[in-house]
Amino acid sequence: MGVTKSARATNGEGKAEQLSQDRIIDAALRVAKRVGFDRLTMRALADELGVTPMAAYYYVKSKDELLELVADSVAAAQAPLPPDLAWDEQLKIRAFELFDRLTEYPGLGAFLLERPLTPSVRKTYWSGVDIFRRAGLDEHEAELAHATYHTFMFGLMGMEYRFRPVKQSRGRDDEAVVAHATTHEFIEFGLDTIIAGIRARQHS
């Protein structure tokens, strides 16, 4: 039996509400935050909405499309940078904001490392490159620097997610995967190393 556009979900008070793609994304974000991005399924989404899986499929055609939409929604939530800060301070603000935003949804960083260019990531790509242009790099070097930063941040988030159960079993959930330091200390060191490398290139 086909699903019509009048498919409705129930809210917490048992009242019916019209389904929409925005409501589906909001529900999927709640599920992903609660159980992890890689455990987000169409059935889990339908349960969250109080509808049948077929009703959800009317608005989102597959699990892959659902994951892409959710990832893009989180990527689109990037906060604007203060315009009067130095480039290295902007880079650190962007990095920590990105880490905190993506790790709200366990597994999302690993997903974006494999398929990073969602529409919202594409829209913000050049603003990221521009941070490195402000450091004095030409366009090609700035793109390489941005790719280095991108690989460091998303690679770290992927490793953190995969090793989290081991860390929790040892009572060290805030310790970085590859160093005896907190994850934020590890990010700070990695960013300082990237920044120092860029400054060294400027004076070589």
Side-chain angles (χ1 to χ4, degrees), residues 119-134:
S120 290
V121 170
R122 288 190 185 97
K123 288 179 183 178
T124 59
Y125 174 80
W126 289 108
S127 67
V129 172
D130 189 58
I131 292 176
F132 295 100
R133 291 297 303 273
R134 292 186 59 211

Side-chain angles (χ1 to χ4, degrees), residues 102-188:
L102 265 60
T103 52
E104 279 192 72
Y105 307 94
L108 178 55
F111 175 83
L112 287 173
L113 182 62
E114 297 173 356
R115 285 186 283 183
L117 296 181
T118 70
S120 290
V121 170
R122 288 190 185 97
K123 288 179 183 178
T124 59
Y125 174 80
W126 289 108
S127 67
V129 172
D130 189 58
I131 292 176
F132 295 100
R133 291 297 303 273
R134 292 186 59 211
L137 300 179
D138 64 31
E139 185 171 309
H140 179 63
E141 290 176 327
E143 288 193 66
L144 290 174
H146 182 266
T148 301
Y149 155 78
H150 187 278
T151 303
F152 167 67
M153 290 299 300
F154 282 90
L156 172 65
M157 284 185 274
M159 290 176 65
E160 286 291 316
Y161 177 66
R162 288 188 173 93
F163 284 92
R164 177 168 291 177
V166 176
K167 291 165 58 180
Q168 290 176 333
S169 70
R170 296 176 179 174
R172 299 177 177 179
D173 193 37
D174 192 40
E175 187 172 285
V177 170
V178 294
H180 295 297
T182 66
T183 302
H184 276 224
E185 287 172 333
F186 183 58
I187 294 173
E188 183 90 28

Side-chain angles (χ1 to χ4, degrees), residues 9 24 28-30 37 46 52 57 60 66 74 80 83 88 93 117 129 155 169 185 194-195:
I24 284 174
L29 287 169
R30 294 194 298 272
F37 191 77
T52 66
Y57 273 116
V60 180
L66 174 66
V74 178
D88 53 338
I93 289 173
L117 296 181
V129 172
S169 70
E185 287 172 333
I194 292 171
I195 291 165

Side-chain angles (χ1 to χ4, degrees), residues 19-141:
L19 271 182
S20 67
Q21 192 174 85
D22 287 343
R23 289 200 60 242
I24 284 174
I25 292 172
D26 287 342
L29 287 169
R30 294 194 298 272
V31 175
K33 184 180 289 189
R34 188 167 64 244
V35 304
F37 191 77
D38 59 349
R39 294 183 180 177
L40 174 58
T41 64
M42 296 299 288
R43 181 167 295 281
L45 171 65
D47 289 345
E48 180 75 14
L49 288 165
V51 300
T52 66
M54 284 300 295
Y57 273 116
Y58 185 83
Y59 294 88
V60 180
K61 293 181 174 57
S62 66
K63 178 182 175 180
D64 281 347
E65 183 181 352
L66 174 66
L67 296 179
E68 290 279 0
L69 287 169
V70 173
D72 193 63
S73 175
V74 178
Q78 178 174 283
L81 289 168
D84 55 340
L85 292 181
W87 72 270
D88 53 338
E89 294 178 21
Q90 286 189 332
L91 180 65
K92 288 189 175 185
I93 289 173
R94 174 61 50 79
F96 284 111
E97 190 270 336
L98 176 71
F99 180 82
D100 291 341
R101 177 159 40 97
L102 265 60
T103 52
E104 279 192 72
Y105 307 94
L108 178 55
F111 175 83
L112 287 173
L113 182 62
E114 297 173 356
R115 285 186 283 183
L117 296 181
T118 70
S120 290
V121 170
R122 288 190 185 97
K123 288 179 183 178
T124 59
Y125 174 80
W126 289 108
S127 67
V129 172
D130 189 58
I131 292 176
F132 295 100
R133 291 297 303 273
R134 292 186 59 211
L137 300 179
D138 64 31
E139 185 171 309
H140 179 63
E141 290 176 327

